[in-house]
Structures are given as structure tokens and as C-alpha cells.
Amino acid sequence: MIHYIWGFMIVIGIVVSVITGETASVNTSVIDGAKDAVSLCITMLGIMAFWTGLMEVAKEAGIIGYLTRKLEKILGWLFPGVPKDHVAREYMASNMIANIMGLGWAATPMGLKAMGELAKLEEENPTVPKGTASRAMCTFLIINVSSLQLIPINVIAYRSQYGSVNPAAILGPGLVATFISTAVAIIFCKIMDHCSKENKLIKM
């Protein structure tokens, strides 16, 4: 569907530029946009390499393992259906730590692995229809979307790329926004979990 929307926007842009006689301006904008895109990619690549490397150093130094152990109680509360020593918890912890540090690039692979392990765990339950997302999977997805971040690396990089006088000025508002979004996500998941349990008791 999205490619139809983009295609429609491109065609409309071309038609309007021809009608208004601004074809030259559109061509210039396309070239400038392509140049900015390449420049932004190079900037983001450097930042991604730095922070992802830092995550690897932290992992080898045992910092990630230490933080994972510290998250055990929180993970147990958020995902009561996932066994304590299950590998999915390790992936989920790594994903959350990366997200908190603003490393979405490093968080994504861990998130995908966590979802894979949660799917395997759900397949072991014969009462659940195949292809059905578990509560843990839904909760994990919602928390990922809310994405609590202490350092919004992406936004700071974008602001720096486009000439912001103080790229890090977003830190305070960003922290407040992600804290609220994560709190709302957790509250929503817990309410839905509670409602689901009540419905099961009523059916029984």
C-alpha cells in the first residue's frame, strides 16, 4: 500500500511542477535531496559504528551481563509467562538496554531474536492456535514501540546534520516523552493482561 501512496505523491508532484512551470526547481530539489541523503547516511554510519562498537565493548567487559541480571525482576514482572532461565529473556534484556541507550540499530537484531524465541516458546503450548502472538510477544512489541531512551542518538545526529546550534537540547524533552510513552505502554499491557485473565475466569 505504501508504494501506491509514494507513487501517487511523485506523480502529483511532477504534474504540478509542469503546470506551474517549476520543473527546474523540482529537478534541483531532487538533486539536493539525494546529496543530503548520502551525507546523512555517512553521518549516521559513523555514529552507528561508534555506539554499536561501544555496546560490544560493554558486552565483553561484562557490563551488559550485569545490567541483564539487574533487569531480571522487571522482566519477571513484565513477562511472567517466560521461564526465568529462558534465552528469550537474555535477548529481551539486551534489546531493552540498547533501546535505553538510544542504539536502535543494535536493539533491532536482539528484538528479532527475542521474538523468535518467544514464538518457539508459544509453539510448545498445544492449546494455542498456530501463528497466534502470545501475551509476552505483544507486551514486548508494545514496549519496543514506546522505546524508553536516555540518549536519543538518532535525533541528536539528525539535528547535528541539519545545523542545530545545540543538537543535545532534545535530551530533556526526549527523556520525558519516552518515559511517559513507556509508562503508558506498560499500564496498557497490564490492564489488557488483567482483562484477559478475568475473561478466562468468567468462561470457566
Side-chain angles (χ1 to χ4, degrees):
M1 184 61 184
I2 191 69
H3 57 281
Y4 290 118
I5 295 174
W6 279 107
F8 175 76
M9 291 172 64
I10 291 170
V11 171
I12 290 296
I14 293 172
V15 171
V16 171
S17 69
V18 171
I19 293 173
T20 58
E22 296 292 337
T23 307
S25 298
V26 171
N27 289 335
T28 302
S29 298
V30 169
I31 294 171
D32 290 342
K35 181 178 69 176
D36 289 343
V38 172
S39 178
L40 179 61
C41 286
I42 293 173
T43 300
M44 296 303 295
L45 181 62
I47 294 171
M48 177 181 69
F50 172 75
W51 284 101
T52 305
L54 194 62
M55 277 289 288
E56 286 299 316
V57 172
K59 184 177 180 181
E60 292 298 323
I63 297 174
I64 299 299
Y66 172 78
L67 293 175
T68 299
R69 290 192 294 274
K70 290 297 181 181
L71 284 174
E72 272 299 321
K73 290 184 179 179
I74 297 175
L75 290 173
W77 179 65
L78 290 174
F79 310 101
V82 180
K84 184 176 180 180
D85 297 326
H86 199 276
V87 67
R89 283 206 183 190
E90 181 181 343
Y91 289 137
M92 286 190 289
S94 297
N95 171 270
M96 289 180 178
I97 292 168
N99 269 327
I100 288 172
M101 294 177 68
L103 306 176
W105 316 283
T108 300
M110 293 297 103
L112 293 174
K113 288 181 180 179
M115 277 295 191
E117 292 299 328
L118 290 173
K120 290 178 183 177
L121 189 63
E122 196 66 13
E123 288 173 2
E124 296 173 5
N125 188 348
T127 62
V128 178
K130 188 176 180 180
T132 302
S134 64
R135 293 180 189 171
M137 293 172 74
C138 293
T139 300
F140 183 64
L141 177 62
I142 292 171
I143 291 176
N144 254 269
V145 172
S146 68
S147 187
L148 175 63
Q149 292 186 4
L150 297 180
I151 309 174
I153 302 297
N154 286 353
V155 179
I156 292 174
Y158 293 143
R159 286 168 59 85
S160 176
Q161 175 67 25
Y162 290 106
S164 173
V165 177
N166 185 9
I170 194 69
L171 280 174
L175 182 59
V176 172
T178 57
F179 178 81
I180 292 174
S181 66
T182 302
V184 170
I186 292 173
I187 292 170
F188 172 80
C189 290
K190 286 299 176 182
I191 290 174
M192 295 304 294
D193 188 42
H194 180 71
C195 291
S196 177
K197 288 179 180 178
E198 282 193 345
N199 288 336
K200 279 189 175 182
L201 288 174
I202 291 171
K203 288 179 181 179
M204 291 175 67

